[in-house]
Amino acid sequence: MARQRPEPRHITLGGREAIALTMEEYAQLIASRRQIGGQSARVRVLAQQVKRTERLLDELEALVGGPTAVCRTPDEGAVRRATADCHGDHGTTGAPDTDCLRCAIAALLRRHREATS
C-alpha cells in the first residue's frame, strides 16, 4: 500500500507563515536529510574515483602508444589501427611481443573509451 503524502499544517507564528510538524514527522525529516547527506558523500567519493581512474587510463594510454598506435601487417605492409590480435611489424626497435602487447593494450583502452562515449 502506497504511503500518502500528508498535507502540511500551515500556521502563523509571530506574523510569519510556517509549517507545523509532529515530533514523528520531524524525526523522519531529519532521518531523510541524513540519508541524503550520506548518499551525497558517497556520490562525491565515486566521482573522485572516476576522475582518478580517467587520469590513470589517460596516462596508461599515453604510455603504451595512445590512440595513434598502428600495426603494419607483414603480408601487405599496410598500416592499420591497433587491434587486440595484432601480430604485425611495428617498425620499432622493441621486441615484437612487447610491441604487440602495447598495441593490444592501446586497442583495448580505445575500445572501452569508445563504448562509454
Side-chain angles (χ1 to χ4, degrees):
M1 178 179 206
R3 189 173 183 185
Q4 288 184 339
R5 194 168 83 180
E7 287 296 317
R9 289 171 294 286
H10 296 271
I11 61 171
T12 303
L13 187 62
R16 295 179 63 186
E17 219 178 297
I19 295 177
L21 299 174
T22 65
M23 290 304 288
E24 180 183 305
E25 291 169 335
Y26 181 73
Q28 288 175 347
L29 176 65
I30 296 300
S32 294
R33 290 186 69 182
R34 262 189 255 118
Q35 287 176 347
I36 289 171
Q39 289 173 349
S40 177
R42 284 190 293 275
V43 166
R44 265 193 312 278
V45 168
L46 289 173
Q48 290 171 348
Q49 288 175 340
V50 165
K51 287 177 186 175
R52 279 195 309 268
T53 302
E54 279 291 320
R55 282 194 306 268
L56 173 66
L57 288 175
D58 287 341
E59 292 173 16
L60 181 59
E61 191 172 41
L63 183 65
V64 299
T68 60
V70 293
C71 303
R72 299 186 192 288
T73 56
D75 309 348
E76 307 156 2
V79 175
R80 60 181 170 84
R81 289 183 69 84
T83 62
D85 61 347
C86 167
H87 297 292
D89 172 27
H90 295 271
T92 64
T93 57
D97 289 345
T98 304
D99 288 338
C100 286
L101 178 60
R102 290 178 66 202
C103 189
I105 291 171
L108 178 68
L109 289 170
R110 189 171 36 261
R111 187 171 61 245
H112 281 277
R113 294 242 182 191
E114 291 168 356
T116 60
S117 297

